[in-house]
Amino acid sequence: AQSVTQLGSHVSVSEGALVLLRCNYSSSVPPYLFWYVQYPNQGLQLLLKYTTGATLVKGINGFEAEFKKSETSFHLTKPSAHMSDAAEYFCAVIDDNNAGNMLTFGGGTRLMVKP
Amino acid sequence: KAGVTQTPRYLIKTRGQQVTLSCSPISGHRSVSWYQQTPGQGLQFLFEYFSETQRNKGNFPGRFSGRQFSNSRSEMNVSTLELGDSALYLCASSWGASGRLNNEQFFGPGTRLTVL
């Protein structure tokens, strides 16, 4: 089974600063990778996904992520943090042995944005 | 188009009781998945249904069960509740059978279950 590791359970940045949230996965085959965001008392919202093709993926709210096979990474970035970006972020993969929709999630990273 | 609906949003039960949670997917979606979210274990997959058939099941005891109806609505049931079952239970729906295709999953707001 695949696993997903998110380095840093809490990340704090200043408003306007670069956001970098790290995600590494374990997989022997090309994975399908996702980033979700969760605001307090809400469900998960898809930010972006990598399936095939271009390795730099652009998502909503100015976020993007780059799939690096050699590093088994899929880090999430945003050039300039906004207060509204404060939330919890989850990296996830579709298990390569699973033909369905089952997602395996990382532990999550809580992003705090300081004024 | 209405989003994924989960009812109830909040629930308080006592140990030993049983509970049923409901999920109504987006209209036209045939796949429903359930996840448990806790501070200690994070997001863990419970089960997935597609066209009334359970396709996958996570590593949870038999006290956790689910089903899907012909209109794609799904319920999950937890019997003999334990304190550790306190969690946010999230439901996700998607149109297609495979997340490996261009098939986004949409999550509901969750049901917050507290077991006393």
Side-chain angles (χ1 to χ4, degrees), chain A residues 2-95:
Chain A
Q2 295 195 23
S3 66
V4 180
T5 303
Q6 291 183 241
L7 287 176
S9 59
H10 293 80
V11 170
S12 180
V13 300
S14 297
E15 192 172 21
L18 171 71
V19 175
L20 170 60
L21 305 183
R22 300 178 186 273
C23 172
N24 289 87
Y25 63 90
S26 66
S27 175
S28 58
V29 298
Y32 286 67
L33 294 154
F34 305 81
W35 274 100
Y36 285 87
V37 61
Q38 185 178 35
Y39 298 100
N41 298 315
Q42 293 187 28
L44 302 175
Q45 181 183 11
L46 181 66
L47 277 177
L48 48 80
K49 64 182 178 184
Y50 170 77
T51 52
T52 58
T55 56
L56 182 62
V57 181
K58 294 187 184 299
I60 62 172
N61 302 339
F63 284 94
E64 61 182 37
E66 186 172 9
F67 170 61
K68 291 187 176 180
K69 184 178 178 181
S70 61
E71 299 177 6
T72 60
S73 69
F74 190 56
H75 301 331
L76 182 71
T77 61
K78 182 174 181 177
S80 177
H82 191 272
M83 296 296 290
S84 61
D85 294 326
E88 189 152 22
Y89 293 80
F90 294 92
C91 182
V93 298
I94 293 282
D95 194 292

Side-chain angles (χ1 to χ4, degrees), chain A residues 2 29-32 34 36 38 41-47 49 51-52 88 90 94-108, chain B residues 9-10 31 33 35 37 42-45 48 50 55-58 88 90 94 96-110 112:
Chain A
Q2 295 195 23
V29 298
Y32 286 67
F34 305 81
Y36 285 87
Q38 185 178 35
N41 298 315
Q42 293 187 28
L44 302 175
Q45 181 183 11
L46 181 66
L47 277 177
K49 64 182 178 184
T51 52
T52 58
E88 189 152 22
F90 294 92
I94 293 282
D95 194 292
D96 57 0
N97 292 318
N98 186 284
N101 290 299
M102 186 181 83
L103 290 162
T104 299
F105 287 92
Chain B
R9 290 292 310 276
Y10 301 91
S31 171
S33 298
Y35 294 85
Q37 185 177 22
L43 279 155
Q44 293 185 287
F45 172 79
E48 176 192 357
F50 184 82
R55 303 188 68 201
N56 294 293
K57 190 176 192 304
L88 180 67
L90 292 165
S94 61
S98 174
R100 300 178 68 80
L101 301 175
N102 193 22
N103 177 38
E104 181 177 345
Q105 293 188 65
F106 295 84
F107 282 79
R112 173 78 59 187

Side-chain angles (χ1 to χ4, degrees), chain B residues 8-10 13 25-26 28-30 34 38 40 48 50 58 63 68 74 76-77 80 89 92 112-113 115:
Chain B
R9 290 292 310 276
Y10 301 91
K13 292 285 187 178
I26 291 172
H29 284 193
R30 297 174 294 168
W34 289 89
T38 60
E48 176 192 357
F50 184 82
R63 299 185 297 108
Q68 187 179 35
S74 178
M76 66 164 283
N77 184 275
T80 319
Y89 290 88
R112 173 78 59 187
L113 172 65
V115 182

